[in-house]
């Protein structure tokens, strides 16, 4: 059973940066596609970014392209989300997710089997 623990959330002013980390344990991290999702109050959980289990293939939701970067360090069993030029609309609880490696990219929660508890990101205007 894979366990995921996010960290790095907090309060930041608009235009600032944060780096989220997600540490994995209990599984073969390098065999999982990893994703970040977020959920704002009163809204559904939405896809943010994903990275393939091997290589550097990544995909992003349009609203974060050019501002967010997902990366992974398989030696440290950790996936990161570097968030720059943050906007108030980025305010949400951010969740890390892991899914068994499969062809293509997973853009919905159905593509992931394991979830972290979430970390709050608040961007003030």
């Amino acid at each position: 059973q894979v366990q995921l623990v996010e960290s790095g959330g907090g309060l930041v002013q608009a235009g600032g940066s944060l780096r989220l980390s997600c540490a994995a344990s209990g599984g073969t991290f390098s065999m999982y596609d990893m994703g970040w999702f977020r959920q704002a109050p009163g809204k559904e959980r939405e896809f943010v970014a994903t990275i393939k289990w091997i290589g550097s293939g990544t995909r992003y939701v349009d609203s974060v392209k050019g501002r967010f970067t997902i990366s992974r360090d398989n030696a440290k069993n950790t996936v990161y989300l570097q968030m720059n030029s943050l906007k108030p609309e980025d305010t949400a609880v951010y969740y890390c997710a892991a899914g068994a490696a499969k062809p293509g990219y997973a853009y919905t929660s159905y593509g992931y089997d394991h979830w972290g508890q979430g970390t709050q990101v608040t961007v003030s205007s």
Side-chain angles (χ1 to χ4, degrees), residues 15-95:
S17 298
L18 284 174
R19 188 176 81 155
L20 305 183
S21 299
C22 172
S25 62
T28 305
F29 179 75
S30 60
M31 296 296 292
Y32 285 90
D33 295 334
M34 300 298 296
W36 286 96
F37 287 71
R38 65 186 179 185
Q39 188 167 18
K43 296 187 177 180
E44 293 186 353
R45 189 172 299 188
E46 69 166 346
F47 166 80
V48 176
T50 185
I51 186 166
K52 294 299 293 178
W53 68 284
I54 193 169
S56 58
T58 59
R59 292 291 187 271
Y60 300 89
V61 66
D62 285 347
S63 60
V64 308
K65 285 180 180 177
R67 300 189 298 122
F68 290 11
T69 302
I70 187 171
S71 62
R72 66 190 297 162
D73 185 337
N74 287 344
K76 295 183 177 180
N77 290 353
T78 301
V79 63
Y80 304 97
L81 186 68
Q82 178 66 45
M83 306 185 295
N84 299 328
S85 303
L86 282 161
K87 304 175 181 180
E89 51 264 43
D90 294 318
T91 295
V93 177
Y94 283 70
Y95 297 91

